[in-house]
Amino acid sequence: MKNTFSLISVFWFLKVSIIFCHLSDPRCFWRIKDTKNDLGDKETYCFFSIYTKQGYVKNDYFSWNLDKKVTPKTNHLIFSVYLAMEEINKNGHILPNISLLVNIECGLELYGERTGLAFKSEEFIPNYYCRNHRKYLIVLTTPKWGVSTSLGPLLYISRVPELYCGHFHLLLNDNEQFPHLYQISPKDTSLPLAMVSLVVHFRWNWIGAIVTNDDHGIQFLSELRGEMQKHIVCLSVAIIIQTEKFMALKEFRMNYNKIAMSSATVVIVYGDKDSPIQFTLIMWKSEGIWRIWVSVSQFDMITVIGDFLLYSSTGSFIFSHQQSEISGFEKFIQTVHPSNYSSEFSLAKLWWTYFTCSLPPSNCKKLKNCPIKTVFKWLFMTPIGMSMSDISYNLYNAMYAVAHSVHEMLLQQVDIWSTNAGRELEFDSWKMFSILKTLKFVNPAGDLVNMNQNLKQDTEYDIFYIQNFQKYYGLKMKIGRFSGYLPSGQQLYMSKEMMEWATDMDQILPSICSMPCRPGLRKSPQEEKDICCFVCNPCPENEISNMTNMDQCVKCPEDQYANEDQTLCLQKVVDVLDYRDPLGKSLAGFALCFSVLTSIVLCVFLKHRESPIVKANNQTLSYVLLISLIFCFICSLLYIGHPTMFICILQQTAFAIAFTVAASTVLAKTITVILAFKITVPGRMRWLLVSGAPKYIIFVCTMIQLIFCGIWLGTSPPFVETDVHMTHGHIIIVCNKGSVIAFYCVLGYMGSVALASFTVAFLSRKLPDTFNEAKLLTFSMLVFCSVWITFIPVYHSTKGKTMVAVEVFCILASSAGLLLCIYAPKCYIILLRPQKNSFYKFRKPHSKSENIS
């Protein structure tokens, strides 16, 4: 089991390594302008008529001389067919004792010129070659799709099938119109998605598109719009180039104004390159229109003026069908005409060469910073090979498809007849054609070739970046690939190392309609404009955006709040008057100190209960007042700390009852003083003092307050309230009063008792002052009332724990006012001036007052 696991691990490691090496070792192409060739990369249409001959036929046709009017691209098409034919004929496993031969007819479309390879109409009958009396098996055509549509009926009448090897064209896919024709090139089903994926990778969202006005270009534009809509990419300008030269010239100035006025720096180019779109791009360049072009391999060409068609100072991106290297291609070409290739540099002029692109020495951190001599030396350090174009690769595969189809016919024992004394074989072209359209095989490069268009998977594309860094030179580097069959998000691969070296992304202008909205802002669409054109607005209160270009801000949870930049949600601070808070500690300390102080005063009064000053002022009421003040101080502690439902109910009722008892006790003491000094005639209302009637005032007032509290608790009792909106960044936890009316009724009743006490005490202030506390009671109630009258506006102007602190402070201040104003002078006499605490001192002033009166 261990060995099996080890083998599996090694297998997966090797597989991942191979994949990584394949992706991280892209090819580079050396590009050289060809100003001496007035044809540029002008392509000729070619017919490769395939026929068979029995036995091995030596390729003696290589002595044929190329005409100067044939472009290098056409030479490569011919070489790819010859290479495949030589490999097939030498391989006895594919067609044993049978050779494939080809008759090539090519012609330039430009001005109707004919080259040494051009066919002569009087010598060409599609399905019969009169000179040698042989019948063609199939015709390979490329690269002009227009020629195939024109000569298609003639080929159909002559009963010869056609295999089109040029770039896929929608019109040629119509089986009813072209039943004899089949395309080997895959349909660009994934190309719009691939291009949009590249745009999204570079964070572009504002691009232009140029297509030709044919079914092929219009369908591509439609599919491109669909993919752009899915990925939120907007089309700044869509230019449709007419296929007719006169109409294209007529609309040239209009299209120029469109591209010039567009703010998009990235433009996708697609369509028939042999249409007036090529002329349009050349003229735009002369007018100074430079963009980052994104296109396909057929637009990566040299124009008739020897310049690059897609020239850009910041580089261009090219999508090409993924293909493997055909080994021996360079050697084969040099074998054909060694005199034509005296050096590797002249070989590069014939075609763009490629080499295994490894990163350069350390002195070339960026391509633009590399000295030219260093670049040339580095480029030619590695063996240079030849690269097949997409069409050359299609022709190469087409030859093998024909060979495998004939091989399949031989295996199926299809009728074969021999002519010309057994030297030539003729097969049923249409039976072979039907086999070819469903064929699958692996070519010598190791690629699986699936001829069935209906079963073809999504196309894979190589992505190249073209950098023009000198007047006549450029470098085309493979920087990534796109595989449509992979899951979404993994389809696009970009080589980070090659991109950083080859592309100067800092200088590539962002192709966007609006600058990105930084975190803390959100996108707001503009009326009558695309979704990519927006303005950045701040997030609403307590909402954040922590990424760039967010459509909507995210609301912070209730227990969190947005920071100042509105990029993060921070935890709210619980705002409660706590014992750990300095303010809470201070108030609790005062409450405890005054409680202890009041208890000490009570102990002093109990100890000196027989003294005149204690007896003279109704000692029972003094004890009740002191005990109620202790409860007043202690009840303030209920306001400090994290509240609960029980504490909220207890703090309000305890506060109301304790203060009502204290205020009513003061009222009782005041009434006692008045009765003691006013009732001088024996028997007349004296029974009020003897019976202790003033003491019942406390009971009655307290019972009324209890009724109020009972109604309050029964209807809408206090409860714990958590307010997350009152103060920014804080969670306020307080005791809600419940019924505000009930609260103010309780408070108002307590105030009325206190006001009554103050009024009665004020009226009795002129009574004899020896051991008379009327003045003390008046002043204490003045302090008490002043505190609670001030409390109301201050309480309503504060929030959170400050509001609670105000309430606690008022409780302590009013209670302390009663304690100090009433009992401080008495304690002073009892403890520090005991000589005044005697009946003698009481009698003396009183006698004086009687004599005066």
Side-chain angles (χ1 to χ4, degrees):
M1 185 70 180
K2 258 185 181 180
N3 294 335
T4 306
F5 179 75
S6 301
L7 287 172
I8 293 172
S9 302
V10 170
F11 169 76
W12 279 107
F13 175 77
L14 290 174
K15 186 173 182 180
V16 171
S17 300
I18 290 169
I19 293 172
F20 177 78
C21 291
H22 173 69
L23 293 178
S24 61
D25 190 22
R27 293 182 299 176
C28 290
F29 290 80
W30 182 239
R31 310 171 81 233
I32 302 174
K33 296 180 181 179
D34 192 1
T35 54
K36 295 181 180 180
N37 184 3
D38 59 351
L39 295 178
D41 281 336
K42 187 69 178 179
E43 293 174 331
T44 59
Y45 56 87
C46 292
F47 287 82
F48 299 90
S49 303
I50 311 299
Y51 60 98
T52 59
K53 188 175 275 192
Q54 193 171 3
Y56 174 71
V57 179
K58 185 179 180 182
N59 293 327
D60 55 356
Y61 37 76
F62 293 144
S63 60
W64 148 77
N65 292 321
L66 299 179
D67 192 274
K68 293 182 179 179
K69 288 293 185 179
V70 177
T71 63
K73 276 198 172 183
T74 304
N75 290 338
H76 264 235
L77 302 182
I78 298 170
F79 291 154
S80 62
V81 172
Y82 282 163
L83 173 63
M85 190 167 55
E86 185 177 77
E87 291 176 351
I88 292 168
N89 293 341
K90 285 183 178 181
N91 189 345
H93 297 287
I94 300 178
L95 294 178
N97 203 28
I98 297 176
S99 295
L100 290 182
L101 297 177
V102 61
N103 181 52
I104 305 174
E105 307 288 345
C106 295
L108 271 174
E109 188 178 26
L110 184 64
Y111 306 125
E113 295 183 38
R114 302 199 321 188
T115 69
L117 293 174
F119 64 81
K120 298 177 181 179
S121 58
E122 65 272 10
E123 295 179 355
F124 180 72
I125 299 175
N127 202 22
Y128 199 81
Y129 191 36
C130 301
R131 186 171 294 179
N132 295 318
H133 306 286
R134 61 174 171 261
K135 185 179 180 182
Y136 294 129
L137 183 64
I138 193 170
V139 174
L140 311 182
T141 59
T142 190
K144 303 282 187 178
W145 66 271
V147 177
S148 295
T149 58
S150 301
L151 297 180
L154 182 61
L155 289 172
Y156 181 65
I157 293 171
S158 60
R159 302 296 295 168
V160 58
E162 177 186 354
L163 188 57
Y164 177 70
C165 300
H167 297 286
F168 182 88
H169 200 281
L170 190 64
L171 180 62
L172 300 181
N173 211 36
D174 187 353
N175 290 329
E176 293 184 2
Q177 189 175 356
F178 304 103
H180 67 289
L181 187 145
Y182 198 71
Q183 299 187 79
I184 189 173
S185 183
K187 185 180 179 182
D188 290 325
T189 53
S190 303
L191 185 60
L193 175 59
M195 288 185 169
V196 172
S197 298
L198 180 73
V199 168
V200 173
H201 175 80
F202 288 111
R203 295 186 177 89
W204 298 327
N205 64 6
W206 188 243
I207 63 174
I210 305 170
V211 298
T212 51
N213 189 22
D214 52 22
D215 293 340
H216 203 45
I218 298 301
Q219 181 176 351
F220 172 80
L221 182 60
S222 175
E223 293 174 356
L224 182 68
R225 287 180 187 270
E227 294 297 337
M228 290 171 63
Q229 188 173 4
K230 291 178 187 176
H231 293 83
I232 316 179
V233 178
C234 301
L235 199 60
S236 168
V237 60
I239 298 175
I240 301 175
I241 305 297
Q242 299 295 332
T243 54
E244 297 179 6
K245 293 182 179 179
F246 175 76
M247 292 298 298
L249 287 172
K250 185 178 179 181
E251 296 179 357
F252 173 79
R253 185 51 57 182
M254 177 186 69
N255 293 332
Y256 170 80
N257 292 334
K258 284 183 180 179
I259 193 71
M261 294 298 293
S262 173
S263 58
T265 58
V266 176
V267 178
I268 292 175
V269 180
Y270 188 81
D272 183 8
K273 72 175 180 62
D274 294 315
S275 69
I277 193 172
Q278 185 177 151
F279 169 77
T280 302
L281 291 171
I282 294 172
M283 292 303 297
W284 282 356
K285 180 188 173 184
S286 66
E287 296 280 352
I289 299 294
W290 292 349
R291 297 289 187 269
I292 301 173
W293 307 108
V294 179
S295 189
V296 286
S297 57
Q298 53 262 45
F299 284 89
D300 182 21
M301 59 177 290
I302 297 174
T303 64
V304 292
I305 59 175
D307 205 350
F308 301 134
L309 178 62
L310 297 178
Y311 177 82
S312 175
S313 58
T314 52
S316 301
F317 295 89
I318 294 296
F319 284 78
S320 177
H321 290 293
Q322 196 174 69
Q323 60 190 42
S324 300
E325 177 188 350
I326 303 298
S327 60
F329 188 49
E330 175 195 359
K331 184 178 179 181
F332 175 77
I333 295 177
Q334 290 178 333
T335 304
V336 178
H337 287 290
S339 60
N340 290 343
Y341 312 102
S342 57
S343 67
E344 289 178 336
F345 194 76
S346 62
L347 187 65
K349 284 187 176 181
L350 175 66
W351 188 246
W352 296 334
T353 62
Y354 80 89
F355 53 92
T356 301
C357 187
S358 58
L359 292 179
S362 57
N363 61 340
C364 288
K365 298 294 184 182
K366 290 279 186 181
L367 176 61
K368 66 170 186 174
N369 299 329
C370 295
I372 299 301
K373 291 183 180 179
T374 304
V375 173
F376 274 94
K377 182 180 178 182
W378 171 60
L379 291 180
F380 291 105
M381 280 175 61
T382 54
I384 295 181
M386 297 300 298
S387 171
M388 274 192 176
S389 65
D390 290 347
I391 299 178
S392 296
Y393 191 68
N394 288 341
L395 281 168
Y396 181 82
N397 286 332
M399 289 296 296
Y400 270 93
V402 172
H404 282 287
S405 299
V406 174
H407 178 79
E408 199 65 31
M409 292 177 70
L410 292 173
L411 293 177
Q412 296 176 12
Q413 296 182 353
V414 178
D415 293 336
I416 303 170
W417 59 93
S418 175
T419 61
N420 296 330
R423 289 180 299 159
E424 298 181 13
L425 293 176
E426 292 187 358
F427 295 88
D428 189 332
S429 298
W430 289 97
K431 287 184 179 180
M432 186 276 301
F433 191 51
S434 63
I435 294 174
L436 182 143
K437 290 191 288 187
T438 58
L439 195 65
K440 285 185 182 179
F441 64 93
V442 178
N443 67 7
D447 290 341
L448 175 65
V449 180
N450 184 3
M451 298 296 293
N452 193 335
Q453 287 281 5
N454 297 325
L455 298 180
K456 283 188 177 181
Q457 294 181 340
D458 290 327
T459 309
E460 292 185 313
Y461 295 95
D462 288 330
I463 303 173
F464 294 91
Y465 176 76
I466 299 177
Q467 179 68 48
N468 303 294
F469 60 90
Q470 283 294 310
K471 185 177 181 181
Y472 296 107
Y473 308 106
L475 200 59
K476 176 181 174 183
M477 295 146 285
K478 180 181 173 184
I479 61 172
R481 72 171 186 178
F482 179 87
S483 301
Y485 59 85
L486 291 178
S488 179
Q490 303 176 17
Q491 296 170 320
L492 182 71
Y493 170 82
M494 302 295 285
S495 174
K496 185 178 179 181
E497 292 81 6
M498 281 302 299
M499 284 177 54
E500 289 179 352
W501 176 74
T503 65
D504 194 355
M505 297 310 298
D506 295 335
Q507 291 188 0
I508 295 181
L509 298 175
S511 190
I512 53 179
C513 181
S514 301
M515 292 302 294
C517 294
R518 62 166 179 79
L521 303 176
R522 62 179 174 88
K523 296 193 298 184
S524 296
Q526 295 178 288
E527 292 184 6
E528 300 180 357
K529 287 191 177 182
D530 289 302
I531 192 173
C532 302
C533 301
F534 49 82
V535 293
C536 299
N537 290 326
C539 289
E541 186 179 356
N542 209 38
E543 293 187 14
I544 65 162
S545 63
N546 54 5
M547 291 187 295
T548 304
N549 280 345
M550 287 189 65
D551 294 317
Q552 296 293 334
C553 298
V554 180
K555 190 174 182 62
C556 290
E558 291 292 332
D559 60 341
Q560 296 180 357
Y561 71 99
N563 63 347
E564 187 176 351
D565 294 331
Q566 292 185 288
T567 56
L568 288 173
C569 286
L570 305 177
Q571 193 67 34
K572 287 185 177 180
V573 179
V574 177
D575 196 356
V576 63
L577 189 61
D578 194 73
Y579 288 106
R580 291 169 294 183
D581 187 80
L583 183 59
K585 286 180 181 179
S586 301
L587 293 174
F590 281 118
L592 291 174
C593 289
F594 279 113
S595 298
V596 173
L597 181 62
T598 308
S599 300
I600 293 172
V601 173
L602 178 61
C603 291
V604 170
F605 268 59
L606 288 173
K607 185 178 179 180
H608 299 85
R609 59 183 177 276
E610 298 299 331
S611 62
I613 196 168
V614 175
K615 285 185 174 182
N617 294 288
N618 197 325
Q619 58 184 355
T620 304
L621 293 178
S622 295
Y623 298 154
V624 172
L625 181 57
L626 286 172
I627 293 171
S628 65
L629 288 177
I630 291 174
F631 280 104
C632 288
F633 287 124
I634 292 176
C635 80
S636 65
L637 298 176
L638 297 173
Y639 290 82
I640 303 173
H642 200 287
T644 61
M645 182 72 175
F646 174 75
I647 290 177
C648 287
I649 294 175
L650 186 62
Q651 69 179 207
Q652 299 302 328
T653 52
F655 157 73
I657 293 171
F659 269 81
T660 301
V661 170
S664 60
T665 302
V666 173
L667 178 62
K669 288 176 71 67
T670 308
I671 292 175
T672 300
V673 171
I674 291 174
L675 291 176
F677 284 92
K678 291 294 182 181
I679 303 174
T680 55
V681 180
R684 186 182 176 184
M685 297 184 69
R686 194 174 182 83
W687 62 271
L688 291 174
L689 283 175
V690 176
S691 62
K695 298 176 183 178
Y696 292 103
I697 295 173
I698 302 173
F699 177 76
V700 173
C701 292
T702 305
M703 288 303 298
I704 294 173
Q705 187 67 290
L706 283 172
I707 292 171
F708 278 120
C709 289
I711 295 172
W712 183 8
L713 298 180
T715 55
S716 180
F719 59 89
V720 179
E721 181 184 29
T722 302
D723 195 331
V724 296
H725 303 292
M726 183 181 295
T727 305
H728 180 69
H730 292 76
I731 299 176
I732 308 298
I733 302 177
V734 294
C735 287
N736 191 294
K737 309 303 181 185
S739 174
V740 178
I741 297 175
F743 171 71
Y744 280 107
C745 285
V746 169
L747 196 65
Y749 174 74
M750 186 184 71
S752 63
V753 173
L755 186 61
S757 301
F758 171 74
T759 304
V760 174
F762 181 78
L763 294 174
S764 62
R765 70 188 185 282
K766 292 184 178 180
L767 293 175
D769 59 353
T770 303
F771 296 156
N772 178 16
E773 58 181 355
K775 290 182 180 180
L776 301 179
L777 294 176
T778 303
F779 188 68
S780 65
M781 293 314 298
L782 178 63
V783 173
F784 185 90
C785 293
S786 300
V787 169
W788 287 105
I789 289 171
T790 308
F791 162 78
I792 294 174
V794 176
Y795 180 82
H796 285 283
S797 63
T798 55
K799 297 178 181 178
K801 67 179 182 181
T802 308
M803 181 178 66
V804 179
V806 168
E807 192 168 358
V808 173
F809 176 79
C810 289
I811 292 172
L812 294 177
S814 57
S815 302
L818 291 177
L819 176 66
L820 296 176
C821 291
I822 296 175
Y823 292 100
K826 295 179 181 182
C827 290
Y828 174 76
I829 293 173
I830 292 172
L831 298 176
L832 300 179
R833 303 295 294 273
Q835 64 273 15
K836 289 188 176 182
N837 189 12
S838 63
F839 282 105
Y840 174 76
K841 291 292 178 182
F842 171 77
R843 291 286 185 182
K844 185 176 180 181
H846 185 68
S847 299
K848 286 181 181 180
S849 63
E850 285 181 347
N851 293 332
I852 292 171
S853 59

